[in-house]
């Protein structure tokens, strides 16, 4: 019979299945006492849950434990009540700068008029000033409009966060 099979490769013998040990019994996490290595404020947990999934943010916080979960959900409700711009600013402040902040700052400096460039450069943190090696910090121009400072600060915030 083996000779009549054309084009088929003989299958290897099947391996016997090894019995798998039953899973360990579930551990009661509320009863276990353990100390986390890094303590993260519950407000940050709520913020991360909001960023990762607004609709299921409450579900994401379920694993914290009863007391922590209730406090985190209070923070979550506070976040949900904030205006969108304020929430975005909070996320930016908590989790740092954009990855493309340097490119955005360069674009800002290219597009801005010279008085605004001077003010933006004056307001930049020292580590961002290194992006523009040809510029130096100039003293405040007394004839500059008063809103130029707040505009420069706002543009820096938008470019970096």
């Amino acid at each position: 019979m083996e000779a009549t099979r054309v084009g088929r490769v003989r299958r290897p013998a099947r391996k016997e299945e090894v019995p798998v040990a039953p899973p360990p019994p579930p551990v009661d996490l509320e009863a276990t006492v353990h100390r986390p290595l890094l303590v993260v404020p519950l407000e940050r947990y709520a913020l991360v849950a909001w960023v990762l999934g607004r609709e299921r943010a409450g579900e994401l916080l379920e694993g914290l434990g009863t007391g922590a979960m209730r406090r985190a959900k209070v923070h979550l409700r506070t976040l949900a009540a904030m205006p969108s711009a304020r929430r975005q600013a909070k996320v930016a402040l908590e989790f740092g700068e954009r990855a493309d902040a340097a490119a955005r700052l360069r674009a800002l400096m290219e597009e801005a008029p010279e008085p605004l460039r001077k003010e933006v450069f004056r307001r930049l943190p020292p580590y961002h000033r290194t992006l523009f090696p040809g510029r130096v910090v100039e003293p405040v121009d007394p004839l500059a409009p008063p809103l130029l400072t707040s505009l420069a600060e706002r543009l820096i915030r938008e470019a970096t966060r």
Side-chain angles (χ1 to χ4, degrees):
M1 232 15 191
E2 292 294 322
T4 59
R5 290 188 176 180
V6 178
R8 286 194 159 185
V9 178
R10 192 175 174 122
R11 288 185 182 170
R14 289 188 178 181
K15 295 180 182 176
E16 290 186 33
E17 291 187 23
V18 178
V20 178
V27 178
D28 183 15
L29 294 177
E30 294 293 324
T32 349
V33 178
H34 55 81
R35 294 185 176 185
L37 296 176
L38 177 66
V39 178
V40 178
L42 291 174
E43 186 176 9
R44 274 194 164 185
Y45 279 119
L47 195 57
V48 167
W50 179 267
V51 168
L52 291 178
R54 284 182 196 103
E55 298 81 28
R56 50 192 196 107
E59 295 172 35
L60 292 172
L61 295 174
E62 294 289 328
L64 288 176
T66 51
M69 178 186 61
R70 277 182 281 179
R71 290 191 311 269
K73 285 189 176 185
V74 168
H75 288 298
L76 187 63
R77 283 193 295 274
T78 305
L79 283 170
M82 286 181 183
S84 176
R86 189 156 178 215
R87 261 193 316 270
Q88 289 175 7
K90 190 166 198 59
V91 169
L93 283 174
E94 288 292 327
F95 300 111
E97 287 187 349
R98 298 174 58 105
D100 61 344
R104 291 171 60 100
L105 283 171
R106 285 188 185 108
L108 168 64
M109 292 293 273
E110 287 176 10
E111 295 173 6
E114 189 56 34
L116 183 57
R117 279 185 204 160
K118 289 177 183 176
E119 192 61 35
V120 165
F121 188 74
R122 186 178 303 115
R123 299 284 170 192
L124 281 176
Y127 56 91
H128 281 309
R129 286 186 189 157
T130 59
L131 296 171
F132 311 102
R135 291 189 98 46
V136 293
V137 179
E138 296 180 14
V140 179
D141 183 9
L143 300 176
L147 293 178
L148 192 64
T149 302
S150 57
L151 176 62
E153 289 173 351
R154 173 68 187 257
L155 290 173
I156 291 169
R157 256 193 326 270
E158 289 181 7
T160 58
R161 295 189 179 142

